[in-house]
Amino acid sequence: MAQDKVLSVNNLQINFKTDNGILKAVRNISFDLNRGETLCIVGESGSGKSVTSKAIMGILANNAIIENGNIMYRGENLLEVSEDEFYKIRGHKIGMIFQDPLSSLNPIVRIGKQITEAMMINSDKLKIMYHDLISDDLIRYKNTLAKMNIEIANERKKLEAFIAETKAKENVSSAEKAADKKAIQERKAAFKEFEKKTRASYENKAKELKAVLEETQKKAKQQVKEYKEQVTAEHKARLAELEKKLEASGETEEARVKEEIEREKLAYINKLKITKAEAKKRAIAIMREVGIPDPEKRFKQYPFEFSGGMRQRIVIAIALTASPEILICDEPTTALDVTIQAQILELINRIKAERNLSCIFITHDLGVVANMADRVAVMYAGKIVEYGTAEEIFYDPKHPYTWALLSSIPDVDSKEKLEAIPGTPPNMIYPPKGDAFAARSRYAMNIDYREEPPMYKVTDTHYAATWLLDPHAPKVEMPKIVSERIRISLEEDKKDE
């Protein structure tokens, strides 16, 4: 039975323009996120995990260059949508929890206001209705312009990067300088021609879409007007009916009819906008859902009055206010102690199950995701080096980097000494040739320093990019500490059955 994919990342390649050169942060990664599952992306700092999540959220830094790939969500490439559409997606469809709850919250604004802020910004229901009616045509028009601007911006960034790299050359001869100058002029001319052709190709299509949008806007305004008139007429008729009922009522019924009148007035207002009272009611319900005790009282407090764990619960509550279908958790337990960490992980698991959320969980610690992950993607130096189900990654790991991560997790049952990963990750301005992990791996072969390994298929769901899986490679056993932990874990599982 085919899995229901909610998000698909394909051959994503992201670079950053820096003063020292072009940094290759994400290098041709691909993965899918299925409905209701948790995909954990694991790796050391600088491996490209957070850059990937920011690309999905559309919050990459200005110096980012998307060289290749796409991020498909509901049939659209998130790398090409306009900011207008991303405004509807970010937070509303795809929510994000950041690793430091204190920096995610405004220290001088009460918690309640921070939770209800998004609801109050979108409180005008008539305005929301109007935008929903024109949404498809607006998005088509804006996306066309966005695609044009993105294509031009990406080419401009490539041109700027080429100029920067060319000018940064040292000990260049006069002939080489002249050649470089000519090359820069040719690239500039090619860019101008590209920009001219790109604008021309999009112009006519944008003009047609704008005409359709303007017609849709007229119809939408009329529909909103008719809806408001209908709701108002029904409200006035109901009020008139209740007023007559009030005049004819005796002393015993008068209080009840007055209450009905107040309820009718409130119901009318709630059809047109979200009131502060309604927003507060929703916020308190979400605070209770994420396990904050006495939410009515805590609603009025400031972030400094909460512990680290409670602040993270508040951040989770804010992420849940718009009921997203995808939740990205970027190391949400890093700043918390182990006990609170376990509580937050349990909370995320519970909410995910109750709301049928799809979750991308980013961490540097494989131990954290052991009881959360359905599938795991292990990243190193901007690439996914191993990809499989949680069971496959924990019980049958194949890549030396995955072995190294598993070897460094503290374990009360294992008597083996923990192994630190030697060396440091490579400088991705100058990515190494071959397998990026080779310089730190005791299992590296000569070929690891010459050629990048392909992604070998272990099973239909398990893949690893290591030359150790090549049929011609010598047989290598995983570290004793890893095999011992797997043995102990399997024995415990048999006892529990």
Side-chain angles (χ1 to χ4, degrees):
M1 184 173 149
Q3 292 277 3
D4 182 10
K5 292 179 189 176
V6 292
L7 187 80
S8 185
V9 175
N10 304 295
N11 302 314
L12 185 62
Q13 185 179 346
I14 302 172
N15 297 341
F16 286 92
K17 188 173 70 174
T18 72
D19 292 339
N20 298 318
I22 301 299
L23 187 144
K24 284 79 173 175
V26 173
R27 303 188 293 155
N28 292 313
I29 68 166
S30 299
F31 62 83
D32 298 320
L33 178 67
N34 299 318
R35 189 170 302 282
E37 80 163 354
T38 297
L39 169 69
C40 290
I41 302 177
V42 187
E44 289 172 281
S45 296
S47 60
K49 310 182 302 295
S50 294
V51 172
T52 304
S53 68
K54 286 175 181 176
I56 295 170
M57 291 296 291
I59 54 173
L60 283 171
N62 290 332
N63 64 332
I65 305 168
I66 297 167
E67 288 284 346
N68 189 35
N70 59 57
I71 301 171
M72 302 305 296
Y73 171 69
R74 293 192 171 189
E76 286 189 287
N77 182 4
L78 294 182
L79 300 178
E80 294 180 347
V81 301
S82 63
E83 184 56 31
D84 292 76
E85 185 179 1
F86 237 127
Y87 180 76
K88 285 177 164 290
I89 295 171
R90 191 187 298 118
H92 299 275
K93 302 296 182 184
I94 306 175
M96 190 164 184
I97 302 167
F98 295 94
Q99 61 180 279
D100 183 5
L102 192 57
S103 63
S104 301
L105 298 169
N106 190 328
I108 59 170
V109 176
R110 294 180 194 274
I111 286 297
K113 187 175 180 181
Q114 296 192 58
I115 297 175
T116 59
E117 187 175 24
M119 287 186 262
M120 295 311 298
I121 288 171
N122 300 293
S123 64
D124 189 335
K125 291 183 179 178
L126 294 179
K127 192 175 179 181
I128 292 170
M129 180 184 175
Y130 170 75
H131 281 295
D132 285 342
L133 289 169
I134 70 167
S135 177
D136 290 344
D137 289 330
L138 176 65
I139 285 167
R140 272 190 283 270
Y141 171 63
K142 292 282 189 180
N143 281 355
T144 301
L145 296 178
K147 285 177 185 177
M148 176 185 74
N149 291 328
I150 287 168
E151 284 184 27
I152 293 169
N154 281 341
E155 283 301 311
R156 184 180 285 111
K157 285 178 180 177
K158 288 177 186 177
L159 171 63
E160 289 170 354
F162 174 77
I163 293 170
E165 283 185 347
T166 304
K167 288 184 176 180
K169 288 180 182 178
E170 295 179 357
N171 303 319
V172 180
S173 68
S174 299
E176 286 175 321
K177 276 184 183 179
D180 287 344
K181 189 176 181 180
K182 186 181 177 184
I184 289 171
Q185 287 171 344
E186 287 174 354
R187 285 290 288 263
K188 282 181 177 179
F191 169 73
K192 283 181 181 178
E193 187 62 26
F194 171 83
E195 183 177 16
K196 185 180 175 182
K197 285 182 179 178
T198 303
R199 289 192 187 281
S201 67
Y202 279 99
E203 201 170 72
N204 288 334
K205 188 179 179 183
K207 197 174 180 181
E208 290 171 11
L209 291 173
K210 189 175 182 182
V212 173
L213 173 62
E214 286 170 352
E215 188 59 33
T216 303
Q217 286 172 328
K218 286 178 188 176
K219 290 178 182 177
K221 284 177 183 176
Q222 186 59 33
Q223 282 182 259
V224 171
K225 184 182 176 184
E226 288 172 3
Y227 170 77
K228 186 178 180 182
E229 287 172 352
Q230 181 190 340
V231 168
T232 303
E234 289 172 357
H235 170 62
K236 286 180 177 177
R238 178 64 178 152
L239 271 186
E241 183 188 319
L242 288 170
E243 291 291 348
K244 285 180 183 178
K245 194 174 179 181
L246 182 63
E247 287 174 12
S249 64
E251 288 183 15
T252 53
E253 277 189 77
E254 187 177 341
R256 184 178 59 80
V257 177
K258 282 182 178 179
E259 282 181 11
E260 278 190 66
I261 291 171
E262 289 305 313
R263 279 199 298 271
E264 171 56 31
K265 287 179 179 177
L266 186 60
Y268 171 67
I269 293 169
N270 284 335
K271 284 177 183 175
L272 302 180
K273 67 177 185 177
I274 298 172
T275 61
K276 283 186 178 180
E278 178 64 20
K280 182 179 179 180
K281 185 180 174 184
R282 289 190 199 179
I284 286 172
I286 290 172
M287 288 172 74
R288 190 170 282 115
E289 183 183 356
V290 299
I292 295 170
D294 199 5
E296 290 84 1
K297 179 184 175 185
R298 309 306 295 266
F299 184 87
K300 299 174 184 176
Q301 293 181 331
Y302 291 93
F304 68 82
E305 296 180 85
F306 289 75
S307 66
M310 283 296 162
R311 281 196 292 265
Q312 194 59 283
R313 288 172 191 267
I314 291 294
V315 171
I316 294 170
I318 293 170
L320 294 175
T321 53
S323 300
E325 66 174 337
I326 297 173
L327 190 62
I328 300 175
C329 306
D330 188 359
E331 306 214 33
T333 59
T334 298
L336 307 175
D337 62 59
V338 177
T339 308
I340 304 302
Q341 194 177 87
Q343 292 174 7
I344 295 299
L345 295 177
E346 187 181 330
L347 170 65
I348 293 170
N349 259 346
R350 177 174 61 78
I351 290 170
K352 176 197 153 223
E354 289 172 356
R355 295 190 174 216
N356 194 29
L357 288 171
S358 302
C359 184
I360 296 176
F361 197 99
I362 293 167
T363 182
H364 61 274
D365 187 352
L366 262 173
V368 166
V369 303
N371 298 315
M372 289 196 69
D374 295 302
R375 286 184 302 130
V376 178
V378 181
M379 279 191 80
Y380 184 77
K383 292 186 76 72
I384 292 176
V385 296
E386 188 159 8
Y387 186 53
T389 65
E391 191 171 284
E392 287 166 336
I393 297 299
F394 281 97
Y395 291 126
D396 190 26
K398 296 297 182 184
H399 199 284
Y401 182 59
T402 311
W403 296 345
L405 289 177
L406 289 167
S407 300
S408 62
I409 302 170
D411 185 348
V412 293
D413 296 314
S414 177
K415 294 178 182 178
E416 300 291 327
K417 184 183 176 182
L418 290 180
E419 294 184 9
I421 305 175
T424 56
N427 181 349
M428 294 312 293
I429 292 175
Y430 310 102
K433 193 177 178 182
D435 186 345
F437 188 61
R440 305 175 70 189
S441 173
R442 59 176 166 170
Y443 304 98
M445 300 176 286
N446 287 335
I447 194 170
D448 284 300
Y449 296 96
R450 298 196 312 268
E451 293 182 40
E452 195 173 288
M455 189 68 87
Y456 286 94
K457 180 179 177 180
V458 182
T459 70
D460 287 341
T461 54
H462 189 187
Y463 298 83
T466 171
W467 286 115
L468 292 177
L469 292 176
D470 190 275
H472 301 100
K475 186 174 173 60
V476 173
E477 296 294 332
M478 68 177 74
K480 189 178 178 184
I481 185 172
V482 178
S483 59
E484 185 66 13
R485 285 178 176 183
I486 292 171
R487 183 188 65 77
I488 292 169
S489 184
L490 288 171
E491 286 177 359
E492 287 177 353
D493 288 345
K494 284 180 182 178
K495 289 177 186 175
D496 294 337
E497 288 176 1

